[in-house]
Every structure is written in structure tokens, then in C-alpha cells.
Amino acid sequence: DRVQLEPALESKVRQVLTIKTGQSVTRTQLEQNLNAVKALGDFATVEIVPEDTATGVKISFLVKPYGTLKQVQIRTLPANSSSVLTSAAIDEMFKTQYGKQLNSIELKAAIDKLNQLYQKQGYNLAQVVDVEELNPDGKLTLVIAEGLIEDVQVQFLNKQGATVDEQKKPFTGTTRPFIITREAELKPGKIFNRTTAEKDLRRIYGLGLFD
């Protein structure tokens, strides 16, 4: 159903329109104006509907504003994994947008800051990979892959520098893999962290067993 757009939003739309009443218009101009309205970030959908009249063509911009953002929550991948960020940290990142109509441009800026926060804290593999549609109750879910460690393996090199696959034949080295992995804080089920990985490497090198 078509309803009149609230005055503030209608004014915002009209400010970016370049087509004028009484002037001819091309398809390219319509596409440019359509993209300009989309770029405002205020609308979930934007479309143009032309209607023939006795004196020319009536151009209608049909827009669907986003709803009010009340809460941002996250869903981590893989399923059932827990996040390294707390709900309070997420709310702090998006709180200035709570209680307002969702704007995709402002949301993207906050998501970029969230990704930067992950990087700053050493979670180099973590990033927002999807944004689910805003629920009617005002909740928005971000889908995040934080970099859950599935496995930790040890590769040995021979004197020529080639990788020795100890999984395909009886172990011939002098150092068992568990001697190395037990020194690592990063283990399967944890989120990869660059700072922790660097500490693990220093600890393993400190064993004095390797060049």
C-alpha cells in the first residue's frame, strides 16, 4: 500500500533528485536519480514507476524506509560457537543508532569499526560476513566468522628444507608433535589471535630444539 512519506524523508529525497517537472528525461537520468536515492541509505527498497498522463509522464519514486533499530546482536560461524565479544561491547559500538530509523550507510560505518576492533585486538581472521534483515521487533543480526581453530598441525622439514609428511609413514623425527603443540595456547576450539600466535612461536622457539 502506498502511503505518503514523512516530510523529513521526502525532503531528503527531493534534495538529491535532478529531474524536474516540465523537462524531458532520459533512461540514464532516471537510473542516476534512482541510484542517488538508494545512496541515501534510508530505504530498504527503491523503485521508479512511470505513469502516462494526458500531458506527459508522471514519475513516482516508491520507497520503503527501514524500521527503527533497537538492538544489534551477532551470530557466529560455525554454529554454536561463542563470540570473543560481549553484548555490552556490541551495544557500545552501535548505541548511537539505537532508537533511530536504520540507515545502511551509518550501519556500514559501524560495521567497519567493528572489523577494525577485531583487528586491533589481534583477531585477524574475524570479520562480519553477512547482515540479516532487520526484524519487526527492531533487532538486527550480524553474522560473524571470527576464525575458530579447527585443528593445529605440526609440519617438519628435512635438512633439504622439504616438508616431511609424518602422517603417511612411521614417525622418524626426534621430536614428537605433542612436544610442540602442548606449548601452544592456541588450540582447536579457540579463536585465532595474532598476539597469542606470536607468543606461542616464541615459547616453542625457546625450547631450544629448532633452528
Side-chain angles (χ1 to χ4, degrees):
D1 296 334
R2 298 187 186 184
V3 296
Q4 186 66 30
L5 194 63
E6 62 179 65
L9 274 182
E10 181 175 351
S11 175
K12 195 173 182 180
V13 170
R14 290 189 178 280
Q15 287 178 10
V16 299
L17 297 182
T18 60
I19 57 176
K20 305 295 182 182
T21 301
Q23 298 179 353
S24 61
V25 62
T26 65
R27 181 179 297 274
T28 298
Q29 289 174 317
L30 287 178
E31 290 179 352
Q32 290 174 342
N33 280 260
L34 179 69
N35 291 332
V37 176
K38 288 181 177 179
L40 293 173
D42 291 303
F43 308 107
T45 60
V46 181
E47 61 177 310
I48 292 178
V49 177
E51 301 175 36
D52 290 324
T53 68
T55 57
V57 178
K58 177 183 177 182
I59 302 296
S60 298
F61 284 81
L62 302 185
V63 297
K64 179 182 178 182
Y66 287 110
T68 300
L69 178 63
K70 296 181 180 179
Q71 183 184 5
V72 172
Q73 55 192 12
I74 64 175
R75 177 168 63 84
T76 54
L77 298 178
N80 300 322
S81 60
S82 57
S83 174
V84 296
L85 295 181
T86 64
S87 298
I90 297 296
D91 288 338
E92 181 66 24
M93 190 70 61
F94 295 91
K95 68 179 183 180
T96 58
Q97 300 181 43
Y98 287 174
K100 300 178 182 178
Q101 177 194 319
L102 176 66
N103 180 284
S104 62
I105 305 302
E106 295 177 1
L107 178 66
K108 182 181 182 304
I111 290 175
D112 289 342
K113 289 183 179 180
L114 178 60
N115 286 331
Q116 292 170 12
L117 176 63
Y118 273 119
Q119 297 295 313
K120 184 178 181 180
Q121 294 184 356
Y123 298 103
N124 289 41
L125 303 182
Q127 61 178 326
V128 178
V129 296
D130 193 17
V131 181
E132 297 183 354
E133 187 175 350
L134 182 67
N135 291 342
D137 59 3
K139 291 183 179 180
L140 182 74
T141 300
L142 305 180
V143 183
I144 303 179
E146 293 188 326
L148 187 72
I149 299 173
E150 294 183 2
D151 191 18
V152 176
Q153 299 179 351
V154 178
Q155 285 189 333
F156 293 91
L157 305 180
N158 60 23
K159 293 182 180 180
Q160 289 73 41
T163 300
V164 178
D165 191 347
E166 297 290 355
Q167 303 298 321
K168 295 183 178 180
K169 60 184 180 62
F171 186 79
T172 58
T174 58
T175 304
R176 297 281 178 175
F178 81 89
I179 298 295
I180 301 168
T181 55
R182 73 182 182 185
E183 295 295 328
E185 184 178 339
L186 288 180
K187 301 183 184 298
K190 290 192 173 183
I191 304 299
F192 177 81
N193 184 280
R194 179 191 67 252
T195 302
T196 304
E198 291 172 349
K199 291 180 180 178
D200 286 347
L201 288 176
R202 289 195 295 268
R203 191 180 303 111
I204 293 170
Y205 187 73
L207 294 174
L209 300 173
F210 313 106
D211 294 333

